[in-house]
């Protein structure tokens, strides 16, 4: 796809090798823990689908949907849960799976929310990180790729619900 305004940032083969590398790291730590992987909707759905197919041990998957009362390109800072979990977290090893950590506000909120449910552990796996944008400190235990302050789409990640279907990760250039 070469629609104007989109520039390939991470080609699909590189995304695939990053996912494989993350799966090796996660396998080493969780192969005997029956972890609960929690994907943050909607942006992480492609990533988590690829990731779990590289994990060859017992695990469970759930999803949570968060809203930050924002639209466009910015997190507003006011996060709430709009679609909750079905799973019991008490005593479970929880791994949050996120597409992008930007300001950190979303995952920082989620990790505190999950900790109140008394899991055995909570860690974070993120495909992309924009460290220059951080406003709240966040530990990313399994990190795919750090990127600069560019707005990205593709591989499940949208702009106004578009571009989730693109297999590569693109930068959406200004003016789109
Ligand atoms: P944070 O709370 O860390 O600022 O925001 C994280 C969320 O903002 C991500 O889960 C994602 O939904 C959205 N986000 C941050 N950067 C980008 C980006 O470059 N492109 C898209 N589409 N969403 C982004
Ligand atoms: Mg998101």
């Amino acid at each position: 796809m070469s629609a104007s305004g989109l520039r390939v940032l991470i080609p699909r083969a590189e995304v695939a090798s990053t996912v494989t590398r993350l799966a090796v790291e996660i396998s080493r730590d969780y192969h005997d823990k029956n972890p609960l992987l929690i994907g943050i909707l909607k942006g992480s759905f492609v990533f988590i689908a690829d990731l779990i197919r590289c994990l060859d041990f017992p695990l469970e998957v759930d999803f949570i949907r968060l809203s930050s009362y924002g639209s466009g390109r910015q997190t507003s800072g006011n996060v709430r849960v709009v679609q909750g979990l079905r799973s019991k977290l008490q005593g479970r090893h929880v791994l949050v799976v996120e597409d992008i950590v930007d300001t950190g506000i979303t995952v920082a909120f989620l990790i505190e929310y999950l900790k109140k449910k008394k899991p055995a552990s909570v860690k974070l796996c993120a495909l992309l990180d924009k460290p220059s944008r951080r406003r709240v400190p966040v530990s990313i235990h399994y990190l795919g790729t750090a990127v600069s302050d560019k707005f990205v789409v593709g591989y499940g990640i949208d702009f106004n619900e578009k571009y989730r279907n693109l297999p590569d990760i693109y930068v959406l250039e200004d003016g789109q």
Side-chain angles (χ1 to χ4, degrees):
M1 182 129 183
S2 63
S4 64
L6 296 178
R7 175 171 63 76
V8 175
L9 179 68
I10 311 177
R12 65 196 77 180
E14 200 178 316
V15 176
S17 59
T18 299
V19 171
T20 305
R21 192 231 330 136
L22 290 171
V24 169
E25 295 172 21
I26 291 166
S27 300
R28 201 169 49 218
D29 296 344
Y30 287 95
H31 65 94
D32 57 353
K33 290 193 166 71
N34 184 30
L36 175 64
L37 274 65
I38 298 178
I40 306 180
L41 291 172
K42 298 177 193 176
S44 73
F45 82 105
V46 173
F47 175 38
I48 197 170
D50 281 349
L51 182 67
I52 59 168
R53 284 177 290 172
C54 300
L55 299 176
D56 185 20
F57 57 83
L59 59 81
E60 294 171 26
V61 177
D62 205 342
F63 291 96
I64 193 164
R65 188 149 179 208
L66 303 170
S67 157
S68 64
Y69 288 111
S71 63
R73 302 181 181 208
Q74 282 279 1
T75 296
S76 69
N78 193 354
V79 186
R80 68 193 172 107
V81 175
V82 293
Q83 184 185 316
L85 300 165
R86 292 295 173 97
S87 317
K88 285 238 181 310
L89 266 58
Q90 189 163 9
R92 299 296 305 270
H93 290 281
V94 171
L95 181 61
V96 173
V97 179
E98 173 63 313
D99 53 358
I100 309 170
V101 180
D102 187 40
T103 64
I105 290 169
T106 303
V107 281
F109 164 86
L110 180 61
I111 285 168
E112 285 315 303
Y113 172 89
L114 296 175
K115 280 183 176 167
K116 290 185 191 136
K117 300 181 185 298
K118 308 260 182 273
S121 66
V122 185
K123 286 189 177 180
L124 173 63
C125 172
L127 180 63
L128 302 176
D129 181 23
K130 293 186 190 169
S132 68
R133 299 254 313 155
R134 198 72 88 253
R135 282 167 54 195
V136 176
V138 169
S139 299
I140 305 177
H141 305 92
Y142 308 94
L143 171 62
T145 309
V147 296
S148 59
D149 181 11
K150 298 275 163 49
F151 193 83
V152 304
V153 296
Y155 197 69
I157 302 164
D158 75 311
F159 176 60
N160 289 347
E161 297 302 326
K162 284 173 70 184
Y163 309 122
R164 292 192 198 276
N165 54 315
L166 303 182
D168 308 280
I169 295 174
Y170 292 81
V171 170
L172 184 64
E173 306 285 8
D174 283 346
Q176 291 302 298

